[in-house]
Amino acid sequence: QVQLVESGGGLVQPGGSLRLSCAASTNIFSLDVMGWYRQAPGKQRELVAQIVRDDSTIYADSVKGRFTISRDNAKNTLYLQMNSLKPEDTALYYCRALGLSVYWGQGTQVTVSS
């Protein structure tokens, strides 16, 4: 089994930045796809960003130009750099990985307010 642990969430003002981390319990090179999802109250969970083995990435239109997904294979860690944050970015952010199975982290809360 693969465990994913997110960190880096918190409260930030509009226009601010945060970097989320997702630490995996396995070598992330063994994972075919890794990504970040988010879910706001009353809304469906949505894909924010995704990265695959060849480093190809996709982003939700709402975050293009503001968020960057990356990974550090040596640290078995996935990152999401979030800049120019907006109140609409407020959500619980989840790390997701696809290998032999689908794995989800517990989530980390991001709140953009004031």
Side-chain angles (χ1 to χ4, degrees), residues 8-82:
L11 175 64
V12 64
Q13 294 188 22
S17 298
L18 286 173
R19 188 178 74 164
L20 305 184
S21 298
C22 171
S25 64
T26 191
N27 190 328
I28 63 172
F29 187 76
S30 68
L31 301 169
D32 297 308
V33 182
M34 297 193 75
W36 290 95
Y37 289 72
R38 67 186 182 188
Q39 187 167 19
K43 296 184 178 180
Q44 296 284 345
R45 186 175 297 185
E46 64 176 347
L47 174 68
V48 176
Q50 177 182 291
I51 188 167
V52 297
R53 282 190 171 188
D54 67 356
D55 291 329
S56 297
T57 58
I58 59 172
Y59 296 91
D61 287 342
S62 60
V63 308
K64 286 181 179 177
R66 299 189 297 120
F67 290 12
T68 303
I69 188 170
S70 63
R71 62 188 171 200
D72 187 331
N73 291 335
K75 296 181 179 179
N76 293 327
T77 301
L78 178 75
Y79 301 100
L80 183 68
Q81 179 66 46
M82 305 185 294

